[in-house]
Amino acid sequence: MTGTIITILLIVLMLALFTAPFEALEWWVDWFEDDPSIAKILPPAPKNEDAPYYLVYLTGIGSTEPNKHAWRELQLFERLKKSLPNAIIVDNIFPYSMNNVALTGNRLFSWLWKFAHQTRSSSFVTPAGIMINFRNMTQVGVSVDHRYGPIYDRGSANLVRRALENHGYPFESNIPVYLLGNSGGAQIAIGAVPYLKQHLNGPIYVISIGGVFGSDRGHIQSTHFYHLVGKRDNIERLGRILFPRRWPFWRRSHWNQALNNGKVTIIPVHARAHTGRNSYLDPKRGANDSQSYLDETVAVITRVIADRSNL
Amino acid sequence: MRTIWICVTELGDIAYRINVDTLSNISIWDVIAAYFVGQDQLLGTMAFAANRTAVTLQIVFLAGLSDAIGNSVILLANRIRPFRFALAILANAMLFLFGYLAWSLSLLLITNRVFGLAIDYPFFFSIVALSYIPILFSVFSFFPYFGYPINLLLYGISAIYLIRILVAATELTTTRAFFSTILGFVFLSIIRATIGRPVIHFGQWVVSTAAGRKLERNIETALNLQTGGQQ
């Protein structure tokens, strides 16, 4: 019985891995002539020439939809709006889909994701949570892969570009764009940079909140890369191990070159977990009574943006 | 002539005897199953089977098909249509078969000329084909991130397995089998880079014809070509 269950799980795992690049590849080859639904979801808005900067949020792997965020993420947006009142925050991107289609949206297995979404509790360590995380984690793997990455990252850049258009970003301006990547979202952000650069005149900064990412051209090509690292964030640490090109041994890797060229700033914070309680976005707990982990994260982001934008 | 294949285990026991005259046809699945059971049994089941040529070609063709699917991203980067994609995959699998022939000939030449191995040619071709069994799993190189290392690993296992087979089925020692493989690879690489170039160009032409357009082999260049340098 146990053997059968393990065999079934292995088959499902292999199928999930095998089909992981399908969405990005289909976006590229367009064999099924997809409805360009992105244009409907994110129609261009009138240009906003007065915005000092744009902050594009790329969510972590626990997400299922572009327009629904975890309550801790909503808290993050609230605090960011307070501390950066002039910021235009772009928060309607689901970075694990080229077409910004929610897992629960128009998909073959949407019923499965709806079920997973409904049964998932606040903890990510449930079968449903693991399933969603694994699905999105495979997309991070697609972005890191040097064969699929150029396709996936083009798709992500396209998505960010449309989301910026949707928020009135004037592409002929020099308005800075900050890509705020949470967990796996940091890989999506850094992967998109080289392609996004083709459309933007202004600088592109990437701020990673406990990001799990490989060594990418984007590390060199972004104006600067900020990486918030929690004291006991084991998932972030796992990323450093899982992606060999981030090991100091590979001196010529993009990551190590960016580090050597002073393009990377690693910012230690007090967060003691990657997600959930005690994580970077926890508004209730903190290293001391006066500042929660979320407060600290927001303070760091605010300081980075203030420094860069001369506020 | 009646030939008896005797398989001796590492402990010196006679594991089984196979009378070639009495061997019936085997399927590729028998061979794959035998691969997981043990090398000696595998040799016994395939190398002397009546239909070994057919099974040899099946193994190599399926390995080629698996490899072509596993590494099909380059075809997709060139944005070819589904029918052309299928044709290009088949063309790649066929070319893989020719690659196997070239590799076997190269090995045969080295083992024969350098190490003086006298061997029945069809038998030699069959045992080289056995080393392609790991590559049947090359379709897993389609996996994101882990796919590329998996591909390298499978080719590594295939090379090690080839050495083991050469030692088990011929009179070559491990050292000679190892150097045969290395020298065979070097020899084939030299041929490919020199007088074999027109053949390689022909192969690329075949795949491009199947794909319906000239294929760009570098992914980033292929993507840029499709979009005129823009995303």
Side-chain angles (χ1 to χ4, degrees):
Chain A
M1 182 64 183
T2 314
T4 311
I5 292 171
I6 291 172
T7 309
I8 291 170
L9 282 176
L10 272 176
I11 291 171
V12 170
L13 180 80
M14 287 204 277
L15 275 176
L17 283 171
F18 192 80
T19 53
F22 279 13
E23 186 168 351
L25 294 174
E26 164 53 21
W27 170 80
W28 176 251
V29 294
D30 200 20
W31 281 355
F32 301 108
E33 290 168 359
D34 288 341
D35 177 23
S37 51
I38 179 77
K40 290 176 193 164
I41 299 166
L42 303 175
K47 285 178 184 173
N48 185 352
E49 307 278 356
D50 303 326
Y53 47 84
Y54 277 71
L55 190 57
V56 181
Y57 181 71
L58 298 167
T59 184
I61 58 171
S63 173
T64 55
E65 300 184 33
N67 293 314
K68 277 189 187 166
H69 294 283
W71 69 271
R72 287 190 183 91
E73 289 181 319
L74 294 173
Q75 291 281 317
L76 170 72
F77 302 149
E78 286 273 313
R79 304 282 175 92
L80 284 173
K81 276 173 194 164
K82 275 183 193 160
S83 61
L84 300 165
N86 296 322
I88 307 284
I89 299 177
V90 179
D91 61 356
N92 54 349
I93 293 177
F94 178 55
Y96 307 103
S97 162
M98 301 293 91
N99 290 318
N100 213 25
V101 176
L103 289 183
T104 51
N106 187 17
R107 288 171 182 272
L108 192 61
F109 289 105
S110 59
W111 55 272
L112 179 72
W113 300 119
K114 275 176 192 159
F115 176 74
H117 188 69
Q118 282 160 7
T119 53
R120 179 172 67 175
S121 66
S122 57
S123 167
F124 286 97
V125 197
T126 58
I130 290 171
M131 218 165 78
I132 291 167
N133 284 352
F134 181 76
R135 187 270 167 195
N136 290 338
M137 199 167 67
T138 61
Q139 299 307 300
V140 174
V142 173
S143 172
V144 179
D145 191 308
H146 70 278
R147 303 164 302 167
Y148 305 119
I151 294 174
Y152 192 97
D153 296 340
R154 272 177 161 80
S156 304
N158 186 47
L159 198 55
V160 172
R161 185 169 62 88
R162 286 188 182 273
L164 284 169
E165 260 178 357
N166 175 248
H167 284 77
Y169 183 85
F171 284 90
E172 63 288 351
S173 73
N174 290 320
I175 297 175
V177 170
Y178 292 87
L179 300 177
L180 184 58
N182 186 5
S183 183
Q187 168 59 41
I188 309 300
I190 205 70
V193 167
Y195 306 105
L196 202 52
K197 261 188 103 164
Q198 297 175 6
H199 297 276
L200 302 182
N201 292 327
I204 305 174
Y205 302 98
V206 178
I207 305 173
S208 143
I209 304 175
V212 178
F213 51 84
S215 169
D216 199 286
R217 264 191 312 152
H219 286 119
I220 306 268
Q221 296 196 15
S222 64
T223 310
H224 201 88
F225 182 81
Y226 297 92
H227 184 37
L228 277 69
V229 181
K231 264 187 176 168
R232 288 193 205 162
D233 180 355
N234 292 327
I235 304 290
E236 187 280 334
R237 202 168 295 154
L238 188 68
R240 280 184 258 163
I241 297 166
L242 263 182
F243 302 114
R245 296 269 168 188
R246 284 184 62 194
W247 300 351
F249 171 76
W250 298 98
R251 296 176 67 85
R252 300 291 301 159
S253 74
H254 295 302
W255 169 252
N256 285 319
Q257 280 188 56
L259 270 174
N260 294 336
N261 294 344
K263 286 212 141 201
V264 173
T265 303
I266 294 171
I267 306 170
V269 292
H270 290 94
R272 293 194 288 121
H274 190 69
T275 54
R277 285 183 184 183
N278 297 316
S279 70
Y280 305 84
L281 305 187
D282 189 341
K284 293 178 181 168
R285 296 161 195 85
N288 52 57
D289 292 340
S290 59
Q291 192 185 44
S292 69
Y293 294 124
L294 176 64
D295 290 335
E296 188 184 10
T297 302
V298 171
V300 170
I301 295 169
T302 307
R303 199 171 61 235
V304 164
I305 294 177
D307 286 351
R308 285 292 174 177
S309 304
N310 299 319
L311 295 177
Chain B
M1 193 181 129
R2 194 179 174 86
T3 311
I4 295 180
W5 173 255
I6 299 173
C7 183
V8 182
T9 67
E10 285 177 4
L11 296 171
D13 308 322
I14 293 175
Y16 54 86
R17 294 159 187 261
I18 297 171
N19 186 329
V20 176
D21 290 350
T22 60
L23 267 179
S24 57
N25 286 348
I26 57 164
S27 75
I28 184 173
W29 306 116
D30 295 331
V31 180
I32 293 169
Y35 170 76
F36 288 105
V37 175
Q39 181 189 335
D40 296 336
Q41 193 178 350
L42 173 62
L43 285 167
T45 49
M46 185 193 162
F48 291 94
N51 62 335
R52 69 177 175 196
T53 308
V55 176
T56 295
L57 293 177
Q58 280 173 29
I59 290 173
V60 179
F61 180 76
L62 286 179
L65 204 59
S66 178
D67 194 69
I69 294 170
N71 296 294
S72 57
V73 62
I74 193 68
L75 296 175
L76 298 168
N78 281 275
R79 272 187 175 156
I80 62 174
R81 305 306 299 165
F83 177 67
R84 291 290 186 176
F85 175 77
L87 277 185
I89 290 282
L90 282 175
N92 270 324
M94 290 304 292
L95 288 175
F96 192 86
L97 206 55
F98 285 105
Y100 151 76
L101 291 175
W103 172 229
S104 300
L105 280 172
S106 165
L107 270 175
L108 187 63
L109 198 73
I110 296 294
T111 51
N112 185 265
R113 297 288 162 180
V114 179
F115 297 108
L117 180 76
I119 195 166
D120 177 44
Y121 293 167
F123 174 71
F124 189 82
F125 275 66
S126 293
I127 59 172
V128 173
L130 291 176
S131 72
Y132 277 65
I133 292 175
I135 301 169
L136 285 169
F137 301 95
S138 193
V139 69
F140 295 135
S141 45
F142 197 80
F143 287 176
Y145 190 60
F146 299 109
Y148 187 66
I150 286 174
N151 201 32
L152 293 180
L153 186 71
L154 289 173
Y155 273 89
I157 293 171
S158 171
I160 292 166
Y161 195 52
L162 174 67
I163 295 167
R164 280 190 59 181
I165 293 170
L166 287 175
V167 173
T170 71
E171 291 152 7
L172 291 174
T173 61
T174 306
T175 313
R176 288 186 167 200
F178 173 77
F179 281 108
S180 296
T181 307
I182 298 286
L183 290 175
F185 178 75
V186 171
F187 177 73
L188 188 61
S189 301
I190 292 169
I191 293 293
R192 284 170 63 95
T194 53
I195 57 171
R197 286 186 78 85
V199 180
I200 291 169
H201 285 307
F202 177 72
Q204 287 172 349
W205 175 83
V206 169
V207 178
S208 292
T209 306
R213 66 166 60 168
K214 191 176 182 306
L215 290 174
E216 175 53 55
R217 306 263 150 194
N218 177 285
I219 289 181
E220 197 67 59
T221 315
L223 299 177
N224 283 334
L225 274 176
Q226 296 301 314
T227 53
Q230 291 286 301
Q231 59 165 296

